[in-house]
Structure formats: structure tokens, C-alpha cells
Amino acid sequence: MIVDCGIYRDGRRTEGPADFSDALDEARATGDAFVWIGLHEPTEQEFDRVSSEFGLHPLAVEDALRAHQRPKLEIYDDSVFVVIKPVVYEPESDTVTAGELMLFMGDSFVVTVRHGEGAPLAAVRRRLEAEPEVLRHGPTSVLYAVSDAVVDHYMDVASELQLDLEELEAQVFSPNGYRDSTNTAASIYTFKRQVLEFRRATNPLSAPMARLSSAGVPFVDTGSQPFFRDVDDHLTRAVEHVEGLDRLLSDILSAHLAQVGVRQNDDMRKISAWAAMAAVPTMAAGIYGMNFHHMPELDWVWTYPAVIGLMGVAVIGLYRLFKRRGWM
């Protein structure tokens, strides 16, 4: 559905025709105005009229309707199509959810299509309307403001994930962290999936931002390159932060698996030590349970206590040996 439709002249929102087709004609007639239409999860029927009136390319329209696109920038004859994936951190479930934001920018118009609940554009629109000196740059100002807001929020999400990672790290390296190894490994893999979702939003956006930072993109104001370079710089920091989180997660998982392996080796040593101590009396009992006729010591008076004492001494000796070597 159409969330908002405004016509902006000389950096300020003005009253104009209610129909966006008439508003576009008026903006193009004056030459110093543009129309900004915002849509949220439009249906194919709702988007048909918008796409026909603004002359949007059918391939870009198909991407905007279906969503599930990678961040990208595509140039068509009458417009520029940009896909950005805003992310939202949900503290209740410690999960990262990615939405999709598509921008069509052309001669005197901007069309934004939003999928998902993340990154509503109402705040961006209000901020821009409060800064007429920025809005005077036309549709480019909308693209800059939207990308700047999304990328800045990347750093906020990265900070939240950093805190979660520190808690997970403390859990893994706690003295009792190995006892619940299954849940710990599951937590690490779940966290890694959140970081992967974050990477899918940040990494592919680097190429479009780098392209917008250079000259030669149609419908983009020629003086906007420094502003997009600033956005690209913030995006680079976010990408590096995400890559660092991913590397730390891999190291934490390796350390956790190493801890589990060491603990299993300790358990096997203890089991082996107890088995060795049990083997001595078992061997003695086995020898004297073979029912041979010619065993002269069976007639001795002290044979029974001597054998029992020998087994006890052997077991105690093995116990002290294993204890000294740290097997017990």
C-alpha cells in the first residue's frame, strides 16, 4: 500500500495534487521539484499503476515485488534501482532479522518499496523535511538519507551482537562450560547464523556504495560523492566488525570443541585407571579359579590373607601412581 506521497520544491514539502501522476507532471513542469512515494509490501495490482506512471523497468519491478534480493545497484534507461537490506536486532530472542528496501530514482521522482517491519522510513522522511538544505539536492538526498540511516543502524546491531558474543565467550570458558556442551555448541551455531544473516546484508552493499561514491551514476547529483563516500566508510567499518565477529565465533567454536576433547581424554584416563586397578584382583581371582589339582600354595595356612593383601597393595600402588600422574 502507499504509505506516503509528497511533492518537494526547493527543499520543502508543498501542497500538490493528490494523484501522484499529476504530482509528477507538476514536478517535472517546474523543474525544481520531485515526488517521493513510499510503499510498504505492495501487491502486484497496487504497484502496476505506479510502475506504469513512472516508467519503471519491468525487471526491477519484478524484483521489488518478489523481494528476497541481494543489495545491488542497477541502472536502466529511465531510472536507477537500488536494493538495501536493513537489519533489526530483537533483544528478546537475541536474533537478527533482515528486511528489504528498494529505491527507484529517476527524473524528478523517488519511489521507495519496503518489505518487512525493519527500518521504517517515516523517521527518515521527517528528518529530511527538517533539513531543507539537504532536500534541495533532489532525489539524491533521499537515497543518501536512507542509505546513511540503514548503515548507521548496522553499527548499532553490531554493538549488540558484540555484547552477546562476550556473554557466549564467558559461558564457553567458564569452569563448568563443558558440562552442557550440546547446548553450548547449539548456541554457537545459532549465533553464527545471526552473523551470517548480518553479513548477507552488509557485504554485498559495498559495491553499490563504492559505485555511488564515484561519478557517472545517472540521476545522482554530481556533488553527492563525498556524502556517499562517508556512508561507504561507515559501511566498511560495519563489514569489518561483522567479519571480526565471524572469526571470533569460529575461534570460540574451535576452543569449545578442544575443551570437549580434553575433557573426554580426562574421562578416558580415569576410566582406564579404574579398569587397571580392577584388573589386578580380577587376574588373581581368575588364576585361583581355574581348579588345578597341583597348586601347593592352596594348602598353606597364610595363602588366603597373603593373596588378599597382595591384591590390596597392588591396587593401592596403582592408585597412588595414577594420582601422582593426574589420571585420578
Side-chain angles (χ1 to χ4, degrees):
M1 63 177 178
I2 297 180
V3 178
D4 197 358
C5 176
I7 182 169
Y8 298 88
R9 180 177 290 105
D10 195 27
R12 298 185 183 278
R13 185 165 184 162
T14 62
E15 294 294 332
D19 184 79
F20 59 82
S21 178
D22 295 335
L24 178 62
D25 292 338
E26 181 178 321
R28 286 175 172 172
T30 58
D32 61 347
F34 70 96
V35 176
W36 179 3
I37 297 179
L39 300 99
H40 180 233
E41 297 182 355
T43 64
E44 185 174 353
Q45 292 73 20
E46 290 173 336
F47 204 48
D48 277 345
R49 186 172 173 227
V50 175
S51 60
S52 60
E53 289 293 340
F54 288 88
L56 306 180
H57 197 279
L59 291 178
V61 171
E62 181 181 358
D63 290 345
L65 288 172
R66 292 186 177 181
H68 303 293
Q69 303 295 316
R70 285 167 54 90
K72 60 182 179 179
L73 184 151
E74 294 179 347
I75 299 175
Y76 298 100
D77 293 336
D78 299 323
S79 62
V80 173
F81 179 58
V82 181
V83 179
I84 303 175
K85 294 179 75 70
V87 295
V88 176
Y89 177 80
E90 299 176 0
E92 295 81 8
S93 56
D94 294 334
T95 57
V96 173
T97 304
E100 289 191 46
L101 191 58
M102 290 82 165
L103 294 94
F104 296 87
M105 188 172 65
D107 180 20
S108 302
F109 73 87
V110 176
V111 177
T112 56
V113 182
R114 182 167 58 91
H115 291 268
E117 298 301 324
L121 296 179
V124 177
R125 190 186 287 263
R126 287 194 300 269
R127 191 184 73 182
L128 271 177
E129 290 176 354
E131 299 176 353
E133 67 280 1
V134 178
L135 268 176
R136 287 192 182 98
H137 294 278
T140 303
S141 63
V142 178
L143 176 59
Y144 163 71
V146 170
S147 58
D148 184 57
V150 171
V151 171
D152 282 348
H153 192 60
Y154 285 164
M155 294 304 299
D156 297 335
V157 174
S159 299
E160 295 288 347
L161 289 177
Q162 181 67 43
L163 294 176
D164 289 345
L165 180 63
E166 292 173 359
E167 294 178 1
L168 182 60
E169 189 176 17
Q171 176 185 345
V172 169
F173 292 104
S174 65
N176 298 324
Y178 65 89
R179 293 185 177 177
D180 197 10
S181 59
T182 302
N183 289 339
T184 301
S187 298
I188 295 174
Y189 277 111
T190 300
F191 197 100
K192 202 168 181 65
R193 289 186 65 86
Q194 307 307 316
V195 173
L196 177 61
E197 185 73 15
F198 199 4
R199 289 182 64 184
R200 288 173 179 168
T202 57
N203 287 22
L205 188 58
S206 298
M209 284 298 109
R211 194 170 181 183
L212 289 169
S213 301
S214 60
V217 179
F219 308 108
V220 176
D221 188 89
T222 55
S224 63
Q225 282 75 33
F227 299 95
F228 284 110
R229 278 197 295 269
D230 181 66
V231 175
D232 188 38
D233 179 63
H234 292 176
L235 178 62
T236 301
R237 289 167 52 196
V239 170
E240 291 175 351
H241 202 151
V242 174
E243 295 293 341
L245 290 175
D246 189 61
R247 287 194 298 269
L248 281 174
L249 271 174
S250 299
D251 294 342
I252 290 174
L253 179 59
S254 299
H256 173 66
L257 295 178
Q259 282 184 327
V260 172
V262 170
R263 178 53 54 181
Q264 289 176 341
N265 290 337
D266 290 341
D267 293 340
M268 288 301 299
R269 282 202 299 252
K270 291 179 180 178
I271 294 172
S272 300
W274 285 108
M277 289 187 292
V280 173
T282 300
M283 181 183 65
I287 291 174
Y288 287 101
M290 290 188 292
N291 298 320
F292 290 139
H293 292 290
H294 300 288
M295 299 180 73
E297 68 272 16
L298 295 179
D299 296 328
W300 298 350
V301 176
W302 298 101
T303 298
Y304 179 74
V307 172
I308 295 298
L310 181 61
M311 289 191 295
V313 170
V315 170
I316 292 173
L318 287 173
Y319 178 81
R320 295 185 64 183
L321 174 64
F322 293 140
K323 189 74 172 178
R324 186 166 57 249
R325 292 187 176 182
W327 283 35
M328 299 296 293

